[in-house]
Structure formats: C-alpha cells, structure tokens
C-alpha cells in the first residue's frame, strides 16, 4: 500500500525582482516557482493526483503538481495557495514574536535567537512598506508592549502603512 505524498502549499506573493525564495511561490500570474528555483519555463511541473500519480487535468483534477526539476520532486497543492499581503504577514510575525516572548526564559536560550530573527524579519518587511528601520523597531516594541496590531503601532509612532 502506498501512502499519499505530503504536498507543499504555495504562497501567493508579488514578484521580488527574480529573488530566489526558500518556499514555493504562486505569483500574480498564477505561475509557480518551486523552492528549488524551478519555473514552468525551466523544467516545469507535472499534474498529479493527490496520491502523486501523473495525470491529465480534467474537471476532477485538484490542482496538485510535482516539480520536474532534477533532484527535487516537491509536491505542490496549488489550489490551497495562501495569499500574503504585507500587512497581514506583519501581524502574523508580530503574533509569532508575542508567542516566542512568552516561551523565552533563561533555560531556553534558543528562543532569544528566534525572537531576534523574527524581529529582523518584521523590520525588513516593514521596510518594504516604506517604514524606516528605527521607526519599525520602535513600532514593534510599542505593539509588543501594548498588544496593538502593527498598523496601529506604526501610526502611533508617527508613521503610516
């Protein structure tokens, strides 16, 4: 008996000047880019069933692909794509920061590193929305201290998103 493959759910995000990503992306044109860098115009993708068997798409096909790049074979569920708007993603990162802050203590030093990584990611993301790094840092701290969403925190610090 064979088991069904684990499918990767792509993120629907705007293109970032050809930057190679560490996740599967479904862009605004519904073109896939695998985390290996494969695109439809390179090695392409094969349509598969939920069990991973090659198929010709018909009205019953569920949007599953297999990456055709050599040594990859990622299984992708394109219909489950998650839309990621920068502000929604910023609030998700902020929520993750709050969770990690609750877990962080002297016996778990790895959480401090995770917290710092999440904060850097959030500052970078806010930078894509024209928030300067210092303003982003103040806004993040304010949001963490007050429980405010990131939009309110940035506004409170004199900025806007």
């Amino acid at each position: 008996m064979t088991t069904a493959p684990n499918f990767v759910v792509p993120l629907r995000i705007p293109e970032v000047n050809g930057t190679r990503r560490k996740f599967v992306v479904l862009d605004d044109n519904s073109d896939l880019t695998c985390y290996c860098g494969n695109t439809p115009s390179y090695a392409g993708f094969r349509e598969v069933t939920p069990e991973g068997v090659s198929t010709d798409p018909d009205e019953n096909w569920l949007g599953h692909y297999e990456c055709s790049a050599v040594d990859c074979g990622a299984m992708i569920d394109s219909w489950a794509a998650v839309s990621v708007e920068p502000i929604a993603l910023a609030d998700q990162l902020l929520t993750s920061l709050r969770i990690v802050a609750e877990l962080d203590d002297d016996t778990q030093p790895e959480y401090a590193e995770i917290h710092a990584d999440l904060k850097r990611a959030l500052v970078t993301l806010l930078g894509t929305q024209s928030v300067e790094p210092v303003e982003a840092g103040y806004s993040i701290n304010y949001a963490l201290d007050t429980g405010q969403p990131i939009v309110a925190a940035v506004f409170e610090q004199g900025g806007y998103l």
Side-chain angles (χ1 to χ4, degrees):
M1 181 172 154
T2 59
T3 59
N6 291 324
F7 284 88
V8 176
V9 175
L11 297 173
R12 183 179 297 276
I13 63 173
E15 187 175 335
V16 185
N17 300 326
T19 301
R20 189 170 182 185
R21 298 171 178 97
K22 296 182 181 176
F23 40 83
V24 177
V25 175
L26 189 63
D27 69 16
D28 291 335
N29 298 318
S30 294
D31 289 331
L32 286 170
T33 301
C34 187
Y35 45 67
C36 72
N38 182 31
T39 62
S41 61
Y42 184 63
F45 301 90
R46 325 184 279 127
E47 293 88 358
V48 295
T49 66
E51 294 75 32
V53 177
S54 190
T55 188
D56 289 323
D58 61 17
E59 67 276 357
N60 297 317
W61 181 62
L62 298 175
H64 295 104
Y65 290 98
E66 179 178 13
C67 177
S68 298
V70 176
D71 296 328
C72 183
M75 305 303 274
I76 303 164
D77 182 352
S78 67
W79 289 2
V82 177
S83 291
V84 178
E85 296 298 325
I87 304 309
L89 182 55
D91 278 327
Q92 290 172 1
L93 287 170
L94 186 61
T95 298
S96 296
L97 271 171
R98 289 178 176 132
I99 292 168
V100 169
E102 290 178 18
L103 298 172
D104 190 15
D105 63 31
D106 294 335
T107 64
Q108 305 283 335
E110 64 272 13
Y111 288 120
E113 186 177 330
I114 293 168
H115 191 274
D117 289 345
L118 284 169
K119 195 167 187 179
R120 273 191 297 278
L122 186 50
V123 167
T124 301
L125 179 63
L126 290 173
T128 69
Q129 303 302 302
S130 301
V131 178
E132 294 297 320
V134 171
E135 181 183 351
Y138 288 137
S139 298
I140 293 165
N141 290 338
Y142 181 81
L144 290 172
D145 291 343
T146 63
Q148 294 286 327
I150 199 66
V151 171
V154 169
F155 181 77
E156 191 64 35
Q157 298 302 308
Y160 63 91
L161 293 174

